[in-house]
Amino acid sequence: MAKIIVDGKEHECEEGQNLFQAIKAAKGRPLPHFCYHPALPVAGVCRMCQVEIEGVPRPVIACNAQVKDGMEVRTETDRIADVVQQILNFHLLHHPVDCPVCDQAGECALQDQYMNYGLYEASVDVEDKIHKDKVKPIGELVMLDAERCVLCARCTRFTSEITKTHEMGIFNRGNHAEIDVAPGRTLDNNYSLNTVDLCPVGALTSRDFRFKRRVWWLENTPSVCAGCATGCNMTIDHSEGTVYRCRPRPNVEVNSYWMCDEGRLLYHRLHDEDRLRTPVVAAEEGPRTVDWDEAYARVQSLLTADGGETRRVAVIASAHATVEELHALGRFADGIGAAKIGYRLEGSEMGEADDLLVSADRTPNAEGARRLGWSQFLGEELRAQASSDTVLLVLKNDFAAFDENGVDLLSAYAGVVVLGTHQDATMDLADVGLPVLSYAESDGLFVNEKGRAQELHASIAGPESARHAVVVLAELGRLLGKEFGWEDPAALRRDLVATEAGWGALATGIDRTGVLLDVVSDGAAIGAESGSEGGGE
Amino acid sequence: MSEEHQDAVPEVDASDAAADAVAVTDDPTKAFSFSPEREKKYEEIVRRYPTRLSAIMPMLWLCQDEWGWLKPGVPEWVAARLEVPISRVYEIISFYTMYYTENPGTYNLQVCRNISCHMAGSGKITKHLCKKLGVGLNETDSEGRFRVEEVECLGACGMGPMMQVGKDFYEHLTEEKVDELIEQWRRDG
Amino acid sequence: MAYSVHGPKAVSGGAGARLRRGEAFYLVEIVRGMAITMRHLLYNMFHSSTMPTLEYPDERPEHGPWLRGRHRLMKREDGSPRCVACQMCATICPADCISILAQDDDRPDVEKSPESFEINLLRCVYCGMCVEACPCDAIRMDTGIFELAADSREAFIVDREFLLNNTTDGVNR
Amino acid sequence: MNEMLTELGYTLGKIGFMLAVILGLLPAMIWAERKGAAYMQDRIGPNRASIGGIFRMGGLVHPIADVLKLVFKEDIVPAGVNRFFYHLAPFLVMVIALTTFAVIPFGDALYLGDKVIKLQVADLNVGVLYILAMTSLSVYGIVLAGWASNNKYSFLGGIRATSQMISYELNMGLAVMSLILATGTVRMDEMVQFQGHLLFGFLPAWGVVVQPLGFILFLVALFAETNRNPFDLPEGESELVSGYHTEYSSLKFALFFMAEYANMIVGAAIVSTLFFGGWQVPWLSTDLLRAHAGPLLTGSAIGATVLSFVFTAATWRHYERFRGRLGDRRELEPLILGILFFALGLATLGYVVFQKPWTIDSAMAAHFATVAQIGSFLLKTVFFAWLFIWVRWTLPRFRYDQLMRLGWTTMLPLALLNFFVTAGVVLLVNS
């Protein structure tokens, strides 16, 4: 432990800690900076975070200094203000000041620092400025504007230290120095959009988000990526019912500060053409859109055999559904005595893992499903349940896209009811398709492959007539004369914590980094004893 | 600079590689090859530096000795041989002024333009050279032989105006002296 | 002011407003007042041309350059809008009457331009904040057009082309 | 039988004349109100509406436009109104305003051969009382309107109208009573006859001369009864959002609107009849008028000629001065009017030259006298109607407590005093 004095106030920190972080902890806000990033090696190039240290004649940059016991640091003297302003002056000397067309405006470090420390008269005419590349696509998803760059080297450090792909570099020197991709290269790795997040200014902007929406109109909802089992924490930026972009949310336990491009761009699916917006029922000429009452009437008729008695039900769960939805489905199935088939075909939805974030399992909640007692299923199990006296209920599962035999088998069922978000392959085969809310539109939990339960929050409202899957399940239960008594995911979560073992960690609430669930023995159904002995937190 | 290089890169695969009669191969380390004595020097360089990154600069010098300038494809070859990122190689090439990515000609006339030489009349010399050779500043003549370039101080302030051609200094320049030198080089070819 | 229903003092107002003897007999004062109005009437009957009233549609008021009339969009030399769709005006607008969709512009010197630019003139409060906010001098309210009339609400939602071409005949196109 | 039919015909004719006077004066009053107010306030006033894009008549076209507008406006009946009284009220107001006129004589009896035609619709022997009765009735329309509208503002307006009416009815009655004492009759025609006398040989014995205080009291009370400024509290826009007619629209509103002006005209007719000699031409009794009909008619004709030519010159000057300013057909208006005035001047001139009006016979002289008397009556009525407007644009509105105090504590004692003094004087003179 070491004590330092920051602006006259004592602060406890670790000996040898990075001074920048120590000051950030002491003051509650960071020093002005462009190049410092906690997950990247220190570059010390922007010179903005200068502080005065007692006994050191000249101001030093805090990001490249280490804490020493008894160190006395001053960050708010006139001298520092003057130094920072002059440094900022250099940064802005050849900046094009094209904030009106710049997507970074509103979340731009240059703008912020200028308002805090600048406010001087510019000394260079617009005509005298050095001109560099503008509007240069350097990759599938990233646009470069070299004039706006402050040469903080975050992007080059990211490509050389994190992805180790080395696409980017700083070329030329002096006034003419600029970032770019190396000749013949493009910024095309799966993490390229992280450079856009890293870029403190508008030099690197996302071609996906470009000009779509001003950032100050975006609302931010913390959520979790549904792209794979890693469960990267992300922020959904949305406005007026439309998601405009997703950004990684720092969580050192899961994804550090990063997120893959694939996961970021997943939000496009939310607004796809083939999003299921109203209930559909199968008709001769193809799916026909109907209202909920008619859809439920159709479900009712499917459930009623010719003789008048109620048919059997088999349910298929999904690793794309939230914990609450899966729990609701489980209780639904138990309540009406339905056969529980499982959450996915063995091995389907597995892709390639990389060594950074992407998991081979491309479903977000396989671990959650497993912990709730669902198992993976084989085409055989589907066949075993198939009979003309059974109705198949599918929750958010597009297994038909992965198994051709399964497709054939579906016709053996008396009827297929699918609760889904899109008009996908399974939905095409359904007798009744019911639109439910997607991961971005509902609250819920995903459990990632390491057993960390993380919260989703509803960001946008979703299609007007879509309902939450647990609500639909409750209503379907009512059709079968069964009252389940839950109304929303929160009620189900309470029920889950109260009734099932292994979820006790949720009882005290979840913070933004999620909570690690108790370890369970692999593949086994959760028993009371295994739940109590775990202790992974 | 990046634009130029992007334009230049495709030529490596097609015309340039073919012109140099190097066997077209998938292995980028075999795109070019040094003469035996430079190959020996290369070995020395690699051995001398603790990391490969440090070897980039002398390696590039070696290339420039071999071919006079960094022909298209050479930086890539350097990166492949040293197993360093190509971006690092280009960062270095673009940072330093004496790595040539364009052919500087047989005789690269580097006239000092710093204060001592300038006061002694280097500006006139430069202008005279350009006029005589029919080229602009930093331009190579049509035959690829002469190029006029202004450089910063070369440490011969007492002998200005001066210029450097290759590794030779020519001092106390006058227009006549320059004319003579050029005539001589023209004769030498 | 608390007023009493008793006594002329309370009625006549403040302490300094005590009526003189002649004034207390209202009829004379009424007649004097009527004389004043009649004087105005007679004078104006024979000097109607010097009346300060502006015969509005026939005579146009001269207003200063500070008048905030209907908006217009400024053009570049090539006729395209100067606007770069930075949304500053839409952001500052207290009436939320401006909606802009941005687009990528292919021209070398223009990076961003408005794909659509709509102003709902019925919502607009003519505060001029959009003009103040515009960093490109792309929107002005100096047309001097302050009379807007149309047959439908839709006609008041004016688009990019309308604002660029700035026709002077009200909202009606 | 035949005689009765003729009698009926004459009565209908008189009713027609009466309606023509009121309804003809209505638009003129509305015009005078708007234009007069404008000129008093240094404005131009209405001048936009035109006929054929030429004739604007200084805004006289506007009342027509107003009426057209009101006719074609949507007739809204608010929810919760008492439908019967709601629809009845405006008609009540208008009908009462019109019927009050019935007892007012507008000329001396006309002798057509052996027939005597009284220029009065109904020659009641209690004419003055009829007037008092009818004016009190008019408040019913307002109260009903206010109550039936199911609107608290309207209701307050109606209540105000009632209490105002009660307070001032008293003063009005006392003022009239004094006049009755002075003239010794309650018949309207006899009252007018009385005012034809000359006092002391030079002063017309008009009510205003005989009863100066009574006149003032009556006039003030009349303003209050007609709900005109400064006593227009029942509609007090600032506090009652137009009071009793807030909930009326379209033609029903128009009826209220017109009734107000009809009341003004009737009120003006009553004042001029009771206090300004009615149809009497001052210093010229009926006999005198008939005797000197020739010179008088000649003088009038010459006067009309001169006036026509003056107007011709004025319109021509106007045309010259304002040509090119508007740039459309409206500029032709003064020119056309000038031509009309010029033609009128020529016509009257021709009348004087060729018809030789000084050689008028006695039958025509009688007609001339009647016309002159009707003219005199109308002139006085128009003046008092104008007085209503004039006062409105001069005086501010009373506060309600001021109104009440004025009525009960100032006017009532004065009216009583006036009554007793008059009675005493009459007693003295008669004994």
Side-chain angles (χ1 to χ4, degrees):
Chain A
M1 269 301 170
K3 259 187 197 154
I4 60 168
I5 300 164
V6 178
D7 292 330
K9 275 185 203 147
E10 261 190 29
H11 177 67
E12 292 255 322
C13 53
E14 296 285 331
E15 177 85 32
Q17 196 193 350
N18 179 299
L19 183 60
F20 185 98
Q21 284 190 325
I23 293 174
K24 183 179 174 185
K27 291 177 53 153
R29 62 190 157 86
L31 293 162
H33 66 286
F34 297 120
C35 71
Y36 179 78
H37 191 281
L40 295 174
V42 169
V45 291
C46 77
R47 319 304 293 181
M48 288 289 284
C49 59
Q50 306 207 37
V51 292
E52 279 186 283
I53 298 174
E54 187 62 43
V56 179
R58 292 188 302 160
V60 298
I61 50 171
C63 67
N64 206 19
Q66 289 178 341
V67 166
K68 233 175 78 187
D69 195 21
M71 208 180 223
E72 196 184 333
V73 184
R74 286 184 295 274
T75 67
E76 285 168 3
T77 60
D78 289 347
R79 186 179 179 198
I80 291 299
D82 192 42
V83 165
V84 172
Q85 189 186 93
Q86 290 188 23
I87 296 291
L88 194 62
N89 198 346
F90 277 125
H91 279 301
L92 279 162
L93 208 55
H94 295 285
H95 188 87
V97 202
D98 52 355
C99 303
V101 295
C102 179
D103 255 354
Q104 191 81 7
E107 52 182 12
C108 174
L110 261 181
Q111 286 181 337
D112 296 344
Q113 314 300 12
Y114 182 76
M115 294 314 286
N116 289 335
Y117 302 97
L119 301 175
Y120 53 83
E121 282 292 316
S123 54
V124 167
D125 262 351
V126 178
E127 281 74 26
D128 300 339
K129 290 185 175 177
I130 291 167
H131 293 291
K132 300 173 187 167
D133 287 332
K134 288 184 87 74
V135 203
K136 179 183 174 186
I138 58 170
E140 200 61 33
L141 293 166
V142 182
M143 188 72 92
L144 168 70
D145 189 316
E147 284 185 3
R148 297 177 189 151
C149 180
V150 291
L151 297 169
C152 69
R154 278 183 178 187
C155 52
T156 59
R157 279 180 282 157
F158 179 77
T159 53
S160 60
E161 303 293 333
I162 306 295
T163 64
K164 300 193 166 56
T165 45
H166 301 285
E167 291 99 337
M168 301 197 67
I170 296 176
F171 304 104
N172 296 326
R173 66 160 152 183
N175 276 342
H176 296 271
E178 59 176 327
I179 55 159
D180 205 339
V181 284
R185 299 289 305 269
T186 52
L187 184 57
D188 50 5
N189 66 60
N190 193 22
Y191 295 88
S192 64
L193 280 173
N194 288 304
T195 61
V196 174
D197 296 331
L198 283 170
C199 186
V201 295
L204 297 175
T205 48
S206 163
R207 293 176 74 186
D208 176 59
F209 176 64
R210 193 172 154 81
F211 302 161
K212 293 283 190 325
R213 198 87 176 133
R214 281 310 208 173
V215 292
W216 52 84
W217 284 331
L218 296 175
E219 295 169 59
N220 320 113
T221 306
S223 188
V224 176
C225 178
C228 74
T230 304
C232 292
N233 292 203
M234 67 174 182
T235 302
I236 298 178
D237 288 348
H238 56 98
S239 166
E240 292 174 3
T242 307
V243 175
Y244 285 97
R245 64 174 180 183
C246 296
R247 289 177 300 148
R249 185 158 55 86
N251 185 348
V252 180
E253 302 294 327
V254 181
N255 57 320
S256 185
Y257 295 80
W258 324 121
M259 195 175 160
C260 70
D261 292 353
E262 228 171 279
R264 280 172 197 262
L265 301 183
L266 217 57
Y267 76 88
H268 283 294
R269 282 288 280 159
L270 297 173
H271 307 298
D272 251 4
E273 280 296 301
D274 70 345
R275 184 75 200 268
L276 196 65
R277 287 164 213 284
T278 53
V280 292
V281 298
E284 299 241 333
E285 67 279 5
R288 185 162 59 85
T289 59
V290 292
D291 62 13
W292 279 93
D293 290 341
E294 200 176 336
Y296 281 143
R298 184 68 175 272
V299 174
Q300 184 89 62
S301 72
L302 285 177
L303 285 169
T304 312
D306 298 333
E309 67 273 23
T310 306
R311 286 191 166 118
R312 281 182 61 242
V313 177
V315 298
I316 292 183
S318 165
H320 291 283
T322 62
V323 167
E324 286 84 352
E325 286 165 349
L326 290 169
H327 182 52
L329 186 68
R331 284 202 44 199
F332 174 83
D334 294 342
I336 64 166
K340 291 154 88 173
I341 294 183
Y343 64 90
R344 73 171 170 212
L345 283 170
E346 192 79 53
S348 70
E349 308 193 81
M350 296 295 273
E352 298 255 319
D354 68 7
D355 48 8
L356 195 51
L357 289 176
V358 179
S359 163
D361 183 354
R362 294 297 159 82
T363 58
N365 198 25
E367 178 68 15
R370 202 174 58 78
R371 279 168 186 260
L372 282 165
W374 297 93
S375 54
Q376 300 196 43
F377 69 93
L378 304 163
E380 296 310 312
E381 294 169 49
L382 204 57
R383 189 188 305 279
Q385 295 295 337
S387 82
S388 61
D389 196 31
T390 305
V391 174
L392 187 65
L393 182 70
V394 183
L395 171 68
K396 283 189 174 176
N397 197 331
D398 190 20
F399 65 89
F402 300 100
D403 185 50
E404 284 166 27
N405 297 327
V407 174
D408 297 335
L409 278 173
L410 286 183
S411 54
Y413 283 92
V416 180
V417 178
V418 178
L419 280 65
T421 53
H422 288 78
Q423 188 68 45
D424 51 27
T426 312
M427 193 67 80
D428 286 339
L429 301 164
D431 290 294
V432 182
L434 302 172
V436 293
L437 295 176
S438 72
Y439 66 96
E441 293 144 5
S442 55
D443 294 343
L445 282 176
F446 279 161
V447 183
N448 79 355
E449 59 191 351
K450 292 184 178 133
R452 177 173 291 271
Q454 306 186 98
E455 264 191 321
L456 307 167
H457 294 280
S459 56
I460 54 173
E464 201 178 318
S465 51
R467 297 179 184 176
H468 199 287
V470 304
V471 175
V472 177
L473 285 171
E475 284 165 352
L476 287 175
R478 229 163 275 148
L479 282 186
L480 291 159
K482 194 90 183 160
E483 197 63 52
F484 288 111
W486 66 67
E487 280 138 23
D488 55 10
L492 274 157
R493 192 185 300 177
R494 284 195 298 275
D495 182 68
L496 178 70
V497 173
T499 59
E500 301 275 330
W503 299 89
L506 299 176
T508 50
I510 307 175
D511 70 3
R512 288 200 158 194
T513 56
V515 67
L516 205 57
L517 296 176
D518 303 338
V519 175
V520 291
S521 53
D522 203 38
I526 316 244
E529 64 281 357
S530 67
S532 58
E533 73 196 19
E537 188 142 359
Chain B
M1 67 136 256
S2 50
E3 291 283 359
E4 299 153 22
H5 281 289
Q6 277 193 325
D7 293 345
V9 168
E11 290 172 23
V12 179
D13 307 326
S15 58
D16 224 294
D20 278 311
V22 173
V24 179
T25 166
D26 288 337
D27 186 358
T29 58
K30 299 212 171 96
F32 296 91
S33 57
F34 282 133
S35 57
E37 67 266 32
R38 290 213 173 82
E39 188 63 34
K40 214 191 234 166
K41 263 192 177 170
Y42 165 75
E43 302 288 341
E44 272 173 36
I45 290 167
V46 171
R47 242 180 288 123
R48 190 189 313 155
Y49 294 102
T51 71
R52 292 289 181 98
L53 286 173
S54 312
I56 297 174
M57 285 187 69
M59 171 71 170
L60 288 171
W61 272 118
L62 216 54
C63 293
Q64 215 153 276
D65 284 347
E66 178 82 36
W67 295 290
W69 60 298
L70 299 175
K71 295 195 287 188
V74 168
E76 284 76 7
W77 176 69
V78 169
R81 280 208 76 172
L82 290 176
E83 291 165 3
V84 293
I86 181 66
S87 52
R88 300 294 298 183
V89 178
Y90 273 111
E91 277 179 351
I92 288 164
I93 293 172
S94 64
F95 186 86
Y96 295 101
T97 53
M98 286 192 188
Y99 290 123
Y100 292 101
T101 50
E102 285 162 40
N103 191 351
T106 320
Y107 299 99
N108 191 14
L109 316 180
Q110 295 172 312
V111 187
C112 174
R113 68 169 175 193
N114 271 148
I115 182 114
S116 303
C117 292
H118 191 84
M119 287 174 75
S122 75
K124 248 189 259 166
I125 301 294
T126 313
K127 236 178 246 168
H128 180 75
L129 280 171
C130 287
K131 204 174 147 195
K132 182 156 179 79
L133 297 169
V135 294
L137 209 54
N138 298 331
E139 273 180 25
T140 311
D141 71 359
S142 51
E143 297 155 43
R145 290 169 73 189
F146 293 104
R147 173 184 152 104
V148 184
E149 190 181 291
E150 281 189 328
V151 293
E152 307 303 331
C153 183
L154 291 164
C157 302
M159 282 74 83
M162 62 79 65
M163 67 178 176
Q164 175 183 252
V165 179
K167 286 172 182 170
D168 302 321
F169 279 15
Y170 299 87
E171 295 160 346
H172 300 297
L173 296 177
T174 59
E175 295 191 358
E176 294 76 38
K177 203 168 172 184
V178 167
D179 286 345
E180 261 175 50
L181 282 169
I182 287 177
E183 286 311 312
Q184 197 189 328
W185 287 326
R186 281 208 170 131
R187 279 197 302 276
D188 295 351
Chain C
M1 186 184 87
Y3 54 83
S4 144
V5 291
H6 300 293
K9 267 177 275 175
V11 177
S12 59
R18 287 198 68 115
L19 297 179
R20 276 175 279 124
R21 190 178 291 268
E23 288 168 350
F25 188 58
Y26 293 109
L27 280 180
V28 180
E29 291 303 307
I30 288 171
V31 170
R32 273 182 55 191
M34 287 170 73
I36 290 170
T37 46
M38 182 52 76
R39 202 160 61 230
H40 275 268
L41 182 131
L42 292 175
Y43 180 85
N44 287 328
M45 266 174 87
F46 297 105
H47 298 84
S48 62
S49 58
T50 62
M51 204 99 79
T53 309
L54 192 75
E55 294 205 55
Y56 159 60
D58 299 323
E59 293 169 30
R60 308 294 301 185
E62 276 179 32
H63 41 67
W66 52 83
L67 177 113
R68 292 190 292 269
R70 204 185 63 204
H71 323 64
R72 67 173 170 138
L73 282 180
M74 306 299 292
K75 292 178 185 175
R76 290 167 207 266
E77 276 167 15
D78 64 354
S80 62
R82 226 144 102 170
C83 173
V84 295
C86 70
Q87 315 269 8
M88 286 293 147
C89 49
T91 303
I92 198 80
C93 181
D96 200 11
C97 71
I98 305 176
S99 59
I100 307 168
L101 275 184
Q103 68 179 5
D104 253 309
D105 206 301
D106 303 332
R107 286 173 294 167
D109 55 333
V110 186
E111 192 174 336
K112 189 182 179 189
S113 62
E115 184 186 351
S116 77
F117 193 114
E118 285 185 354
I119 299 182
N120 187 338
L121 294 173
L122 288 179
R123 277 191 143 196
C124 179
V125 294
Y126 295 89
C127 64
M129 293 229 243
C130 50
V131 182
E132 295 283 317
C134 185
C136 303
D137 191 21
I139 187 168
R140 289 191 190 168
M141 294 176 80
D142 61 355
T143 54
I145 298 169
F146 53 86
E147 319 132 295
L148 307 169
D151 300 337
S152 66
R153 284 169 182 275
E154 289 72 33
F156 285 98
I157 300 171
V158 293
D159 61 9
R160 200 184 85 150
E161 298 319 308
F162 179 83
L163 290 163
L164 274 175
N165 297 323
N166 190 37
T167 47
T168 50
D169 54 347
V171 166
N172 283 313
R173 267 161 270 186
Chain D
M1 187 65 202
N2 205 14
E3 209 164 274
M4 270 187 70
L5 271 183
T6 336
E7 199 61 34
L8 188 67
Y10 284 134
T11 309
L12 284 179
K14 284 184 280 189
I15 291 173
F17 174 79
M18 178 196 90
L19 286 177
V21 168
I22 296 177
L23 299 181
L25 273 176
L26 259 178
M29 291 297 296
I30 294 169
W31 169 79
E33 175 108 310
R34 295 181 64 177
K35 204 74 180 173
Y39 274 36
M40 286 176 184
Q41 297 169 345
D42 295 350
R43 292 185 286 112
I44 289 175
N47 69 349
R48 297 297 305 170
S50 65
I51 296 174
I54 302 174
F55 294 105
R56 297 189 288 167
M57 314 287 282
L60 256 176
V61 185
H62 271 266
I64 301 169
D66 283 349
V67 169
L68 279 177
K69 179 195 78 172
L70 285 170
V71 167
F72 287 111
K73 270 202 161 182
E74 187 187 355
D75 191 4
I76 299 165
V77 180
V81 299
N82 184 317
R83 283 183 170 263
F84 177 72
F85 290 120
Y86 177 81
H87 290 289
L88 178 70
F91 294 97
L92 209 57
V93 174
M94 189 67 188
V95 166
I96 288 167
L98 293 178
T99 45
T100 315
F101 205 85
V103 293
I104 294 173
F106 46 85
D108 201 357
L110 186 63
Y111 298 89
L112 285 179
D114 55 346
K115 271 203 69 73
V116 184
I117 302 169
K118 285 207 161 180
L119 293 184
Q120 189 178 12
V121 176
D123 181 19
L124 294 181
N125 51 8
V126 287
V128 176
L129 299 183
Y130 174 82
I131 285 175
L132 286 176
M134 293 313 279
T135 47
S136 328
L137 265 184
S138 72
V139 79
Y140 277 79
I142 290 170
V143 169
L144 283 180
W147 176 77
S149 290
N150 189 29
N151 174 328
K152 63 184 123 191
Y153 294 119
S154 303
F155 185 57
L156 278 174
I159 294 291
R160 281 184 177 191
T162 321
S163 53
Q164 194 170 315
M165 181 68 67
I166 289 167
S167 310
Y168 282 78
E169 189 72 46
L170 211 55
N171 303 322
M172 194 186 211
L174 282 170
V176 171
M177 291 248 272
S178 311
L179 190 69
I180 292 169
L181 280 179
T183 54
T185 176
V186 290
R187 290 181 74 99
M188 295 296 280
D189 53 342
E190 285 177 11
M191 275 188 167
V192 177
Q193 291 288 1
F194 172 84
Q195 294 180 70
H197 300 122
L198 291 178
L199 285 177
F200 316 117
F202 70 95
L203 199 60
W206 285 2
V208 67
V209 178
V210 183
Q211 282 289 322
L213 186 58
F215 164 68
I216 289 166
L217 291 170
F218 185 84
L219 192 68
V220 172
L222 191 69
F223 271 98
E225 299 246 323
T226 49
N227 296 325
R228 283 289 294 188
N229 203 299
F231 303 108
D232 60 345
L233 290 126
E235 38 190 292
E237 290 84 356
S238 48
E239 65 263 28
L240 292 186
V241 289
S242 279
Y244 58 89
H245 58 63
T246 302
E247 299 291 356
Y248 284 88
S249 56
S250 183
L251 257 184
K252 283 200 282 292
F253 170 76
L255 275 179
F256 276 116
F257 190 62
M258 291 195 291
E260 183 182 336
Y261 287 92
N263 267 324
M264 274 163 63
I265 294 161
V266 173
I270 293 168
V271 174
S272 44
T273 302
L274 292 183
F275 291 96
F276 281 82
W279 43 260
Q280 296 279 7
V281 184
W283 298 290
L284 289 173
S285 67
T286 313
D287 294 338
L288 275 172
L289 272 173
R290 286 180 185 166
H292 302 290
L296 284 170
L297 185 59
T298 314
S300 308
I302 290 171
T305 310
V306 171
L307 221 54
S308 295
F309 286 133
V310 167
F311 278 139
T312 309
T315 49
W316 176 253
R317 181 161 160 266
H318 192 270
Y319 174 68
E320 284 284 289
R321 274 179 67 183
F322 291 96
R323 195 156 52 166
R325 186 173 289 194
L326 294 169
D328 58 24
R329 288 194 294 174
R330 282 175 292 176
E331 287 182 358
L332 293 174
E333 189 190 9
L335 189 66
I336 295 168
L337 287 180
I339 291 168
L340 287 176
F341 277 126
F342 189 64
L344 192 66
L346 286 183
T348 47
L349 192 63
Y351 175 72
V352 173
V353 172
F354 297 109
Q355 290 287 319
K356 301 187 177 61
W358 52 87
T359 62
I360 193 167
D361 63 11
S362 65
M364 284 308 289
H367 287 298
F368 169 74
T370 305
V371 169
Q373 283 166 346
I374 293 174
S376 165
F377 170 73
L378 286 181
L379 210 62
K380 288 168 187 171
T381 305
V382 166
F383 171 77
F384 280 102
W386 166 249
L387 188 75
F388 276 97
I389 293 166
W390 189 1
V391 167
R392 177 174 178 190
W393 298 107
T394 303
L395 297 183
R397 182 181 294 153
F398 272 67
R399 212 169 55 212
Y400 202 71
D401 62 299
Q402 294 171 330
L403 172 92
M404 280 296 145
R405 200 173 59 247
L406 177 73
W408 290 105
T409 66
T410 311
M411 281 178 64
L412 186 62
L414 277 176
L416 283 170
L417 180 75
N418 185 41
F419 178 69
F420 287 118
V421 169
T422 310
V425 170
V426 168
L427 197 65
L428 268 175
V429 170
N430 285 2
S431 62

